[in-house]
Structures are given as structure tokens and as C-alpha cells.
Amino acid sequence: MRKLNSSTKFLTLLIGTIVIFAVFVTSVNAQIQLTERSKLALNGISPIRVGMTVDEASRAAGVRFVKTQSGGRTEEFCSYFEPQGGPKGISFMVTKSRIARIDINNNLRFTTIKGAKIGDTEDRIFSLYPGQIKATPHPYVSRPPYNGKYLTFVPKDAADKNYRIIFETSKNRVDSFRSGQLPEVEYINTSDSFRFSRASETIAGYMLDYFSKV
């Protein structure tokens, strides 16, 4: 009977330890999952960091990434990836096979570590990052009535000197924001640039064909 009690106690202790470990692992995994509650930092979001490959990011965040577009003449120059099945509104720019920046669009739930989000006023961005925001005209919508700007957070820490957070605004409100490494984080929307480039090539081709027949 005494042996049975000892065995029962040991088995109970073992099961309890396994259950606690399983709960701990589940909790840790839940913390590192990429969700709308993940906070955007200068160099990444949740477990995903700038400099990771897509495969590394997929394993770290527990999600599969799918390519959505190419922003240049070759995939080596620039590609965009999004998490399959969500969360929506987040994309990852990949250059030279590594994540260079993270873009947040059309999702009010994503915030930076400081709490900045889409819909915030320009004044709120300045108040969240006092003395560290550089305002420049938006390349597309700087004129009235939009009066758009790029509000760029410039870190003071020397270790972060190659990173930025950029808030795009129009009509005094944040429309989108992004973070990542220089120079990629400062690129104007590469997909727009690519479409413009392809459109220019098409027009030039039509003109060349037309004048060759005249």
C-alpha cells in the first residue's frame, strides 16, 4: 500500500509538471504570435525582426507568408509578403532575400510601441515622440486640401541610427505608417513607382511604334 501511495504521488507530480510545462509553452507561443495586438518597433514587430529571411520570420511568428507583389524589375530588388490568413493590413518588404521594412495600412488596431496608429492627428504623433519627429512634404499629396506630410521618427540612440518610423499623413491624420532600415524605409511606395515605370515603358513603346510608321 505504501509503495502504491508513493507511485501515485510520483505520477500525480509528473502529470502536474507536464501540465504546467504545456501551459507555459502555450503561453509563450501565444505571446510571440503575430496578431493585431503586436506592436511595431523601429526594427520589427513581435518576434519578427528586420534582417530575417521570410522563412525565419515564418518560423518565429508561427504563420506562413505569401508574396503579394514585386516592387521592382526583379524580385531580388524588392518583393512584398503578407501573412496568409491575416492579420490584415500588414506587409513586409523583402530586399536581397531579407526583410527590410514593415508597412501598416488600412488597419486601425496596429500601433507602434508608443501607441501611434492610423487615424491619429499629426499633433499626437509629435506629442508621442517629442523632439524626434522630422516633418517633410508628402511626395504625392502635399498640396491643399490634403496638406500631406511624412512625419519621420529619428531615434537618438546610436544603436538605432539606421532605422526609422515614418507616418504618412493627409488632412492632418495618419493614413499609414512603416518602420525599417535605411534606405528602404524611406523608399516612396515601390509598387506605385514600378507601375509608373511600366506605364512609361508602354507609352514609349506605342510612341516608337507610331513614329516608325510615319
Side-chain angles (χ1 to χ4, degrees), residues 125-154:
I125 301 302
F126 280 107
S127 68
L128 289 173
Y129 303 94
Q132 291 182 266
I133 293 294
K134 176 183 177 183
T136 54
H138 195 290
Y140 297 142
V141 292
S142 61
R143 295 182 179 181
Y146 301 103
N147 301 314
K149 298 183 182 70
Y150 273 10
L151 303 182
T152 303
F153 168 64
V154 182

PDB file of all heavy atoms in Angstrom, residues 125-154:
ATOM      1  N   ILE A 125       1.196  62.578 -32.948  1.00  0.00           N
ATOM      2  CA  ILE A 125       2.484  61.964 -33.295  1.00  0.00           C
ATOM      3  C   ILE A 125       3.628  62.788 -32.710  1.00  0.00           C
ATOM      4  O   ILE A 125       4.568  62.238 -32.126  1.00  0.00           O
ATOM      5  CB  ILE A 125       2.638  61.830 -34.820  1.00  0.00           C
ATOM      6  CG1 ILE A 125       1.519  60.970 -35.415  1.00  0.00           C
ATOM      7  CG2 ILE A 125       4.013  61.246 -35.164  1.00  0.00           C
ATOM      8  CD1 ILE A 125       1.429  59.578 -34.838  1.00  0.00           C
ATOM      9  N   PHE A 126       3.537  64.110 -32.836  1.00  0.00           N
ATOM     10  CA  PHE A 126       4.575  64.968 -32.263  1.00  0.00           C
ATOM     11  C   PHE A 126       4.646  64.805 -30.744  1.00  0.00           C
ATOM     12  O   PHE A 126       5.739  64.826 -30.158  1.00  0.00           O
ATOM     13  CB  PHE A 126       4.299  66.440 -32.615  1.00  0.00           C
ATOM     14  CG  PHE A 126       4.727  66.821 -33.999  1.00  0.00           C
ATOM     15  CD1 PHE A 126       3.792  67.033 -34.998  1.00  0.00           C
ATOM     16  CD2 PHE A 126       6.068  66.978 -34.317  1.00  0.00           C
ATOM     17  CE1 PHE A 126       4.178  67.384 -36.283  1.00  0.00           C
ATOM     18  CE2 PHE A 126       6.476  67.334 -35.595  1.00  0.00           C
ATOM     19  CZ  PHE A 126       5.524  67.539 -36.589  1.00  0.00           C
ATOM     20  N   SER A 127       3.492  64.644 -30.095  1.00  0.00           N
ATOM     21  CA  SER A 127       3.474  64.517 -28.634  1.00  0.00           C
ATOM     22  C   SER A 127       4.006  63.164 -28.171  1.00  0.00           C
ATOM     23  O   SER A 127       4.589  63.063 -27.093  1.00  0.00           O
ATOM     24  CB  SER A 127       2.051  64.726 -28.104  1.00  0.00           C
ATOM     25  OG  SER A 127       1.194  63.659 -28.490  1.00  0.00           O
ATOM     26  N   LEU A 128       3.798  62.116 -28.973  1.00  0.00           N
ATOM     27  CA  LEU A 128       4.297  60.789 -28.607  1.00  0.00           C
ATOM     28  C   LEU A 128       5.815  60.684 -28.755  1.00  0.00           C
ATOM     29  O   LEU A 128       6.463  59.898 -28.051  1.00  0.00           O
ATOM     30  CB  LEU A 128       3.624  59.718 -29.458  1.00  0.00           C
ATOM     31  CG  LEU A 128       2.149  59.435 -29.173  1.00  0.00           C
ATOM     32  CD1 LEU A 128       1.580  58.468 -30.209  1.00  0.00           C
ATOM     33  CD2 LEU A 128       1.978  58.855 -27.772  1.00  0.00           C
ATOM     34  N   TYR A 129       6.367  61.456 -29.696  1.00  0.00           N
ATOM     35  CA  TYR A 129       7.809  61.419 -29.962  1.00  0.00           C
ATOM     36  C   TYR A 129       8.375  62.839 -29.893  1.00  0.00           C
ATOM     37  O   TYR A 129       8.840  63.376 -30.902  1.00  0.00           O
ATOM     38  CB  TYR A 129       8.086  60.809 -31.339  1.00  0.00           C
ATOM     39  CG  TYR A 129       7.511  59.426 -31.525  1.00  0.00           C
ATOM     40  CD1 TYR A 129       6.252  59.241 -32.101  1.00  0.00           C
ATOM     41  CD2 TYR A 129       8.226  58.290 -31.153  1.00  0.00           C
ATOM     42  CE1 TYR A 129       5.720  57.970 -32.284  1.00  0.00           C
ATOM     43  CE2 TYR A 129       7.707  57.018 -31.329  1.00  0.00           C
ATOM     44  CZ  TYR A 129       6.453  56.874 -31.883  1.00  0.00           C
ATOM     45  OH  TYR A 129       5.937  55.612 -32.066  1.00  0.00           O
ATOM     46  N   PRO A 130       8.338  63.473 -28.721  1.00  0.00           N
ATOM     47  CA  PRO A 130       8.762  64.873 -28.606  1.00  0.00           C
ATOM     48  C   PRO A 130      10.212  65.097 -29.026  1.00  0.00           C
ATOM     49  O   PRO A 130      11.116  64.384 -28.584  1.00  0.00           O
ATOM     50  CB  PRO A 130       8.550  65.180 -27.120  1.00  0.00           C
ATOM     51  CG  PRO A 130       8.566  63.850 -26.436  1.00  0.00           C
ATOM     52  CD  PRO A 130       7.975  62.885 -27.416  1.00  0.00           C
ATOM     53  N   GLY A 131      10.394  66.063 -29.912  1.00  0.00           N
ATOM     54  CA  GLY A 131      11.730  66.433 -30.344  1.00  0.00           C
ATOM     55  C   GLY A 131      12.400  65.466 -31.291  1.00  0.00           C
ATOM     56  O   GLY A 131      13.572  65.651 -31.640  1.00  0.00           O
ATOM     57  N   GLN A 132      11.670  64.426 -31.732  1.00  0.00           N
ATOM     58  CA  GLN A 132      12.307  63.420 -32.586  1.00  0.00           C
ATOM     59  C   GLN A 132      11.558  63.192 -33.904  1.00  0.00           C
ATOM     60  O   GLN A 132      11.825  62.216 -34.596  1.00  0.00           O
ATOM     61  CB  GLN A 132      12.427  62.089 -31.835  1.00  0.00           C
ATOM     62  CG  GLN A 132      13.417  62.132 -30.688  1.00  0.00           C
ATOM     63  CD  GLN A 132      13.538  60.790 -29.996  1.00  0.00           C
ATOM     64  OE1 GLN A 132      12.863  60.522 -29.006  1.00  0.00           O
ATOM     65  NE2 GLN A 132      14.403  59.934 -30.522  1.00  0.00           N
ATOM     66  N   ILE A 133      10.625  64.077 -34.228  1.00  0.00           N
ATOM     67  CA  ILE A 133       9.875  63.952 -35.479  1.00  0.00           C
ATOM     68  C   ILE A 133      10.340  65.017 -36.476  1.00  0.00           C
ATOM     69  O   ILE A 133      10.344  66.208 -36.187  1.00  0.00           O
ATOM     70  CB  ILE A 133       8.356  64.112 -35.240  1.00  0.00           C
ATOM     71  CG1 ILE A 133       7.827  62.949 -34.410  1.00  0.00           C
ATOM     72  CG2 ILE A 133       7.610  64.202 -36.573  1.00  0.00           C
ATOM     73  CD1 ILE A 133       7.879  61.595 -35.099  1.00  0.00           C
ATOM     74  N   LYS A 134      10.712  64.543 -37.654  1.00  0.00           N
ATOM     75  CA  LYS A 134      11.085  65.432 -38.749  1.00  0.00           C
ATOM     76  C   LYS A 134       9.948  65.436 -39.762  1.00  0.00           C
ATOM     77  O   LYS A 134       9.579  64.392 -40.304  1.00  0.00           O
ATOM     78  CB  LYS A 134      12.375  64.943 -39.407  1.00  0.00           C
ATOM     79  CG  LYS A 134      12.806  65.755 -40.620  1.00  0.00           C
ATOM     80  CD  LYS A 134      14.051  65.152 -41.263  1.00  0.00           C
ATOM     81  CE  LYS A 134      14.448  65.915 -42.513  1.00  0.00           C
ATOM     82  NZ  LYS A 134      15.621  65.299 -43.184  1.00  0.00           N
ATOM     83  N   ALA A 135       9.364  66.612 -40.019  1.00  0.00           N
ATOM     84  CA  ALA A 135       8.229  66.732 -40.948  1.00  0.00           C
ATOM     85  C   ALA A 135       8.709  67.201 -42.312  1.00  0.00           C
ATOM     86  O   ALA A 135       9.457  68.178 -42.419  1.00  0.00           O
ATOM     87  CB  ALA A 135       7.204  67.711 -40.392  1.00  0.00           C
ATOM     88  N   THR A 136       8.291  66.483 -43.357  1.00  0.00           N
ATOM     89  CA  THR A 136       8.609  66.859 -44.738  1.00  0.00           C
ATOM     90  C   THR A 136       7.346  66.733 -45.584  1.00  0.00           C
ATOM     91  O   THR A 136       6.428  65.975 -45.231  1.00  0.00           O
ATOM     92  CB  THR A 136       9.712  65.950 -45.319  1.00  0.00           C
ATOM     93  OG1 THR A 136       9.318  64.580 -45.182  1.00  0.00           O
ATOM     94  CG2 THR A 136      11.033  66.173 -44.601  1.00  0.00           C
ATOM     95  N   PRO A 137       7.255  67.468 -46.709  1.00  0.00           N
ATOM     96  CA  PRO A 137       6.060  67.374 -47.561  1.00  0.00           C
ATOM     97  C   PRO A 137       5.876  65.974 -48.115  1.00  0.00           C
ATOM     98  O   PRO A 137       6.832  65.298 -48.479  1.00  0.00           O
ATOM     99  CB  PRO A 137       6.349  68.385 -48.686  1.00  0.00           C
ATOM    100  CG  PRO A 137       7.371  69.308 -48.122  1.00  0.00           C
ATOM    101  CD  PRO A 137       8.217  68.476 -47.209  1.00  0.00           C
ATOM    102  N   HIS A 138       4.633  65.536 -48.179  1.00  0.00           N
ATOM    103  CA  HIS A 138       4.319  64.246 -48.797  1.00  0.00           C
ATOM    104  C   HIS A 138       4.593  64.340 -50.298  1.00  0.00           C
ATOM    105  O   HIS A 138       4.242  65.332 -50.933  1.00  0.00           O
ATOM    106  CB  HIS A 138       2.847  63.907 -48.555  1.00  0.00           C
ATOM    107  CG  HIS A 138       2.498  62.482 -48.823  1.00  0.00           C
ATOM    108  ND1 HIS A 138       2.464  61.951 -50.090  1.00  0.00           N
ATOM    109  CD2 HIS A 138       2.173  61.462 -47.984  1.00  0.00           C
ATOM    110  CE1 HIS A 138       2.130  60.679 -50.029  1.00  0.00           C
ATOM    111  NE2 HIS A 138       1.945  60.350 -48.762  1.00  0.00           N
ATOM    112  N   PRO A 139       5.228  63.324 -50.887  1.00  0.00           N
ATOM    113  CA  PRO A 139       5.584  63.414 -52.315  1.00  0.00           C
ATOM    114  C   PRO A 139       4.387  63.441 -53.253  1.00  0.00           C
ATOM    115  O   PRO A 139       4.512  63.864 -54.401  1.00  0.00           O
ATOM    116  CB  PRO A 139       6.432  62.159 -52.543  1.00  0.00           C
ATOM    117  CG  PRO A 139       6.028  61.221 -51.458  1.00  0.00           C
ATOM    118  CD  PRO A 139       5.717  62.075 -50.284  1.00  0.00           C
ATOM    119  N   TYR A 140       3.208  62.984 -52.815  1.00  0.00           N
ATOM    120  CA  TYR A 140       2.043  62.919 -53.689  1.00  0.00           C
ATOM    121  C   TYR A 140       0.934  63.892 -53.309  1.00  0.00           C
ATOM    122  O   TYR A 140       0.255  64.426 -54.179  1.00  0.00           O
ATOM    123  CB  TYR A 140       1.443  61.497 -53.687  1.00  0.00           C
ATOM    124  CG  TYR A 140       2.351  60.424 -54.215  1.00  0.00           C
ATOM    125  CD1 TYR A 140       2.374  59.160 -53.628  1.00  0.00           C
ATOM    126  CD2 TYR A 140       3.193  60.663 -55.297  1.00  0.00           C
ATOM    127  CE1 TYR A 140       3.212  58.160 -54.111  1.00  0.00           C
ATOM    128  CE2 TYR A 140       4.023  59.669 -55.778  1.00  0.00           C
ATOM    129  CZ  TYR A 140       4.038  58.425 -55.190  1.00  0.00           C
ATOM    130  OH  TYR A 140       4.860  57.451 -55.667  1.00  0.00           O
ATOM    131  N   VAL A 141       0.709  64.106 -52.020  1.00  0.00           N
ATOM    132  CA  VAL A 141      -0.482  64.864 -51.585  1.00  0.00           C
ATOM    133  C   VAL A 141      -0.114  66.000 -50.638  1.00  0.00           C
ATOM    134  O   VAL A 141      -0.768  66.219 -49.621  1.00  0.00           O
ATOM    135  CB  VAL A 141      -1.518  63.926 -50.922  1.00  0.00           C
ATOM    136  CG1 VAL A 141      -2.126  62.982 -51.938  1.00  0.00           C
ATOM    137  CG2 VAL A 141      -0.886  63.144 -49.767  1.00  0.00           C
ATOM    138  N   SER A 142       0.928  66.746 -50.971  1.00  0.00           N
ATOM    139  CA  SER A 142       1.368  67.822 -50.082  1.00  0.00           C
ATOM    140  C   SER A 142       0.547  69.097 -50.245  1.00  0.00           C
ATOM    141  O   SER A 142       0.533  69.949 -49.352  1.00  0.00           O
ATOM    142  CB  SER A 142       2.845  68.139 -50.327  1.00  0.00           C
ATOM    143  OG  SER A 142       3.044  68.561 -51.671  1.00  0.00           O
ATOM    144  N   ARG A 143      -0.177  69.230 -51.367  1.00  0.00           N
ATOM    145  CA  ARG A 143      -0.924  70.454 -51.625  1.00  0.00           C
ATOM    146  C   ARG A 143      -2.325  70.389 -51.026  1.00  0.00           C
ATOM    147  O   ARG A 143      -2.845  69.296 -50.768  1.00  0.00           O
ATOM    148  CB  ARG A 143      -1.019  70.698 -53.141  1.00  0.00           C
ATOM    149  CG  ARG A 143       0.340  70.960 -53.802  1.00  0.00           C
ATOM    150  CD  ARG A 143       0.182  71.242 -55.280  1.00  0.00           C
ATOM    151  NE  ARG A 143       1.457  71.521 -55.922  1.00  0.00           N
ATOM    152  CZ  ARG A 143       1.593  71.824 -57.201  1.00  0.00           C
ATOM    153  NH1 ARG A 143       0.523  71.866 -58.000  1.00  0.00           N
ATOM    154  NH2 ARG A 143       2.788  72.075 -57.703  1.00  0.00           N
ATOM    155  N   PRO A 144      -2.945  71.584 -50.812  1.00  0.00           N
ATOM    156  CA  PRO A 144      -4.335  71.597 -50.321  1.00  0.00           C
ATOM    157  C   PRO A 144      -5.242  70.853 -51.291  1.00  0.00           C
ATOM    158  O   PRO A 144      -4.969  70.835 -52.491  1.00  0.00           O
ATOM    159  CB  PRO A 144      -4.656  73.098 -50.263  1.00  0.00           C
ATOM    160  CG  PRO A 144      -3.319  73.767 -50.155  1.00  0.00           C
ATOM    161  CD  PRO A 144      -2.372  72.925 -50.949  1.00  0.00           C
ATOM    162  N   PRO A 145      -6.305  70.224 -50.826  1.00  0.00           N
ATOM    163  CA  PRO A 145      -6.795  70.266 -49.434  1.00  0.00           C
ATOM    164  C   PRO A 145      -6.182  69.199 -48.536  1.00  0.00           C
ATOM    165  O   PRO A 145      -6.520  69.117 -47.368  1.00  0.00           O
ATOM    166  CB  PRO A 145      -8.286  69.991 -49.620  1.00  0.00           C
ATOM    167  CG  PRO A 145      -8.334  69.037 -50.771  1.00  0.00           C
ATOM    168  CD  PRO A 145      -7.243  69.496 -51.717  1.00  0.00           C
ATOM    169  N   TYR A 146      -5.250  68.380 -49.069  1.00  0.00           N
ATOM    170  CA  TYR A 146      -4.742  67.253 -48.287  1.00  0.00           C
ATOM    171  C   TYR A 146      -3.615  67.652 -47.339  1.00  0.00           C
ATOM    172  O   TYR A 146      -3.536  67.158 -46.216  1.00  0.00           O
ATOM    173  CB  TYR A 146      -4.275  66.140 -49.226  1.00  0.00           C
ATOM    174  CG  TYR A 146      -5.379  65.638 -50.113  1.00  0.00           C
ATOM    175  CD1 TYR A 146      -5.456  66.017 -51.450  1.00  0.00           C
ATOM    176  CD2 TYR A 146      -6.370  64.809 -49.609  1.00  0.00           C
ATOM    177  CE1 TYR A 146      -6.480  65.563 -52.263  1.00  0.00           C
ATOM    178  CE2 TYR A 146      -7.398  64.347 -50.412  1.00  0.00           C
ATOM    179  CZ  TYR A 146      -7.453  64.738 -51.742  1.00  0.00           C
ATOM    180  OH  TYR A 146      -8.478  64.297 -52.536  1.00  0.00           O
ATOM    181  N   ASN A 147      -2.718  68.547 -47.817  1.00  0.00           N
ATOM    182  CA  ASN A 147      -1.603  69.019 -46.979  1.00  0.00           C
ATOM    183  C   ASN A 147      -0.838  67.857 -46.328  1.00  0.00           C
ATOM    184  O   ASN A 147      -0.506  67.886 -45.141  1.00  0.00           O
ATOM    185  CB  ASN A 147      -2.115  69.969 -45.893  1.00  0.00           C
ATOM    186  CG  ASN A 147      -2.814  71.180 -46.477  1.00  0.00           C
ATOM    187  OD1 ASN A 147      -2.321  71.812 -47.408  1.00  0.00           O
ATOM    188  ND2 ASN A 147      -3.994  71.497 -45.958  1.00  0.00           N
ATOM    189  N   GLY A 148      -0.593  66.847 -47.139  1.00  0.00           N
ATOM    190  CA  GLY A 148       0.043  65.642 -46.615  1.00  0.00           C
ATOM    191  C   GLY A 148       1.492  65.837 -46.226  1.00  0.00           C
ATOM    192  O   GLY A 148       2.197  66.692 -46.763  1.00  0.00           O
ATOM    193  N   LYS A 149       1.933  65.015 -45.264  1.00  0.00           N
ATOM    194  CA  LYS A 149       3.315  65.089 -44.778  1.00  0.00           C
ATOM    195  C   LYS A 149       3.865  63.692 -44.534  1.00  0.00           C
ATOM    196  O   LYS A 149       3.118  62.716 -44.392  1.00  0.00           O
ATOM    197  CB  LYS A 149       3.387  65.879 -43.459  1.00  0.00           C
ATOM    198  CG  LYS A 149       2.956  67.323 -43.529  1.00  0.00           C
ATOM    199  CD  LYS A 149       3.140  67.997 -42.167  1.00  0.00           C
ATOM    200  CE  LYS A 149       2.671  69.439 -42.183  1.00  0.00           C
ATOM    201  NZ  LYS A 149       1.198  69.533 -42.302  1.00  0.00           N
ATOM    202  N   TYR A 150       5.187  63.633 -44.481  1.00  0.00           N
ATOM    203  CA  TYR A 150       5.892  62.492 -43.926  1.00  0.00           C
ATOM    204  C   TYR A 150       6.383  62.933 -42.554  1.00  0.00           C
ATOM    205  O   TYR A 150       7.150  63.896 -42.444  1.00  0.00           O
ATOM    206  CB  TYR A 150       7.097  62.113 -44.781  1.00  0.00           C
ATOM    207  CG  TYR A 150       6.821  61.160 -45.925  1.00  0.00           C
ATOM    208  CD1 TYR A 150       5.527  60.834 -46.303  1.00  0.00           C
ATOM    209  CD2 TYR A 150       7.869  60.600 -46.639  1.00  0.00           C
ATOM    210  CE1 TYR A 150       5.288  59.971 -47.358  1.00  0.00           C
ATOM    211  CE2 TYR A 150       7.643  59.729 -47.696  1.00  0.00           C
ATOM    212  CZ  TYR A 150       6.339  59.424 -48.047  1.00  0.00           C
ATOM    213  OH  TYR A 150       6.099  58.562 -49.096  1.00  0.00           O
ATOM    214  N   LEU A 151       5.938  62.270 -41.504  1.00  0.00           N
ATOM    215  CA  LEU A 151       6.438  62.531 -40.159  1.00  0.00           C
ATOM    216  C   LEU A 151       7.384  61.393 -39.793  1.00  0.00           C
ATOM    217  O   LEU A 151       6.955  60.267 -39.559  1.00  0.00           O
ATOM    218  CB  LEU A 151       5.290  62.617 -39.154  1.00  0.00           C
ATOM    219  CG  LEU A 151       4.201  63.658 -39.450  1.00  0.00           C
ATOM    220  CD1 LEU A 151       3.153  63.656 -38.343  1.00  0.00           C
ATOM    221  CD2 LEU A 151       4.799  65.048 -39.624  1.00  0.00           C
ATOM    222  N   THR A 152       8.666  61.702 -39.776  1.00  0.00           N
ATOM    223  CA  THR A 152       9.690  60.668 -39.595  1.00  0.00           C
ATOM    224  C   THR A 152      10.269  60.708 -38.195  1.00  0.00           C
ATOM    225  O   THR A 152      10.793  61.740 -37.754  1.00  0.00           O
ATOM    226  CB  THR A 152      10.825  60.846 -40.619  1.00  0.00           C
ATOM    227  OG1 THR A 152      10.283  60.809 -41.943  1.00  0.00           O
ATOM    228  CG2 THR A 152      11.868  59.754 -40.473  1.00  0.00           C
ATOM    229  N   PHE A 153      10.139  59.585 -37.491  1.00  0.00           N
ATOM    230  CA  PHE A 153      10.754  59.463 -36.173  1.00  0.00           C
ATOM    231  C   PHE A 153      12.221  59.122 -36.351  1.00  0.00           C
ATOM    232  O   PHE A 153      12.572  58.100 -36.942  1.00  0.00           O
ATOM    233  CB  PHE A 153      10.058  58.374 -35.357  1.00  0.00           C
ATOM    234  CG  PHE A 153      10.800  57.987 -34.099  1.00  0.00           C
ATOM    235  CD1 PHE A 153      10.987  58.896 -33.076  1.00  0.00           C
ATOM    236  CD2 PHE A 153      11.321  56.706 -33.958  1.00  0.00           C
ATOM    237  CE1 PHE A 153      11.680  58.545 -31.919  1.00  0.00           C
ATOM    238  CE2 PHE A 153      12.012  56.341 -32.808  1.00  0.00           C
ATOM    239  CZ  PHE A 153      12.194  57.267 -31.796  1.00  0.00           C
ATOM    240  N   VAL A 154      13.092  59.998 -35.811  1.00  0.00           N
ATOM    241  CA  VAL A 154      14.541  59.800 -35.896  1.00  0.00           C
ATOM    242  C   VAL A 154      15.058  59.454 -34.497  1.00  0.00           C
ATOM    243  O   VAL A 154      15.032  60.298 -33.596  1.00  0.00           O
ATOM    244  CB  VAL A 154      15.246  61.067 -36.419  1.00  0.00           C
ATOM    245  CG1 VAL A 154      16.747  60.826 -36.545  1.00  0.00           C
ATOM    246  CG2 VAL A 154      14.657  61.500 -37.762  1.00  0.00           C
TER     247      VAL A 154
END
